[in-house]
Amino acid sequence: MQINFAEKFRTKLTSNSEIKIVCYGDSITWGYNSLLLQSKNNYPDKLSEMLNGYFSTDKISVINKGKNSKTSSWGLEYIYENVIDILPDLAVVMFGINDVIYGTKPSRYKQNLAEMINLMCANNILPIMLSPTPVLGLFREKVEKYAGMAVHLFKSENILFIDMHSEIKRKLEMFADPYLYLPDQLHFKNNYDDVSKIVFDKIINGAI
């Protein structure tokens, strides 16, 4: 599926309209730093800064609806209050790491993602679905497996998506010590710039 977001945004901005984007997910979206503190470089905030700078406007709001420790089951249960009722132009959605940690069955995980996609599309909200970012340690291989399942689903649904697991894995492999990049095995070291840049590039390039 090909969508030129940049052109759509420009058209809307020329009429002085606001653009609303919701980022929905777990602690990677929220921007976990340490001791339950939110990173000032959380990716929705950085994405807002980058988009408004690119279009020379202040009309693009990026709303952070990430929450620590949440699974796709929570995401489906609360999708109305966190996404649909906000009526965004675009929703960027990423779940998966906690589904592995808390034992969500693969079939349930895929069903949750599919139902979220269907609900957003039925309410005229265009989703960009993200596979979960990689982790280190005990859950590494299983998160990679769930990411692969997510990508397979997104392709079968002909939905816009970013294989965030593969994108970040390439960044991670550049570090001799991967714990410098993911010090607690899950979260970025006070810096979610790579996530925001990947999402920004996909939006601006218009083809996902």
Side-chain angles (χ1 to χ4, degrees):
M1 183 182 292
Q2 304 273 328
I3 299 263
N4 192 328
F5 290 110
E7 188 58 36
K8 286 179 177 292
F9 285 3
R10 285 193 185 95
T11 299
K12 196 164 185 180
L13 290 168
T14 55
S15 63
N16 204 34
S17 298
E18 301 247 351
I19 292 170
K20 196 183 300 181
I21 300 171
V22 169
C23 295
Y24 190 39
D26 52 31
S27 56
I28 302 299
T29 298
W30 185 73
Y32 178 92
N33 182 4
S34 61
L35 300 177
L36 298 182
L37 296 176
Q38 186 179 33
S39 170
K40 294 180 180 179
N41 285 319
N42 67 84
Y43 100 77
D45 279 359
K46 295 294 290 185
L47 181 62
S48 175
E49 180 184 317
M50 294 168 77
L51 287 171
N52 280 290
Y54 181 85
F55 289 104
S56 300
T57 186
D58 60 0
K59 296 286 186 179
I60 302 174
S61 60
V62 181
I63 301 163
N64 190 336
K65 285 294 181 176
K67 192 158 185 174
N68 294 337
S69 300
K70 298 306 179 184
T71 67
S72 62
S73 296
W74 176 89
L76 177 59
E77 183 178 357
Y78 291 97
I79 195 169
Y80 275 91
E81 64 186 75
N82 286 306
V83 180
I84 293 171
D85 292 345
I86 295 173
L87 300 175
D89 298 278
L90 185 65
V92 184
V93 180
M94 176 169 54
F95 288 97
I97 293 175
N98 293 306
D99 288 274
V100 170
I101 293 173
Y102 297 115
T104 304
K105 292 182 179 179
S107 58
R108 171 54 62 186
Y109 175 58
K110 290 187 288 186
Q111 184 177 345
N112 289 339
L113 294 178
E115 290 188 30
M116 281 192 271
I117 290 167
N118 291 337
L119 285 170
M120 287 184 283
C121 292
N123 286 275
N124 299 312
I125 297 166
L126 186 62
I128 299 181
M129 303 299 293
L130 278 55
S131 64
T133 54
V135 304
L136 303 173
L138 178 64
F139 299 109
R140 184 173 193 163
E141 290 185 3
K142 200 164 184 180
V143 168
E144 185 165 7
K145 179 181 176 181
Y146 273 52
M149 289 190 299
V151 168
H152 183 268
L153 171 68
F154 302 153
K155 288 180 177 178
S156 69
E157 293 281 334
N158 193 31
I159 199 73
L160 298 165
F161 74 94
I162 301 172
D163 186 356
M164 191 62 74
H165 190 279
S166 294
E167 295 275 2
I168 295 296
K169 187 178 179 182
R170 282 193 286 271
K171 302 277 188 180
L172 185 60
E173 288 170 348
M174 296 170 63
F175 284 77
D177 180 359
Y179 286 89
L180 293 175
Y181 195 66
L182 300 175
D184 68 354
Q185 302 185 357
L186 305 176
H187 304 99
F188 301 86
K189 187 178 180 181
N190 195 31
N191 192 330
Y192 288 75
D193 284 357
D194 284 335
V195 178
S196 56
K197 286 175 183 175
I198 290 166
V199 176
F200 171 81
D201 287 344
K202 297 297 183 181
I203 290 174
I204 297 306
N205 290 336
I208 301 176

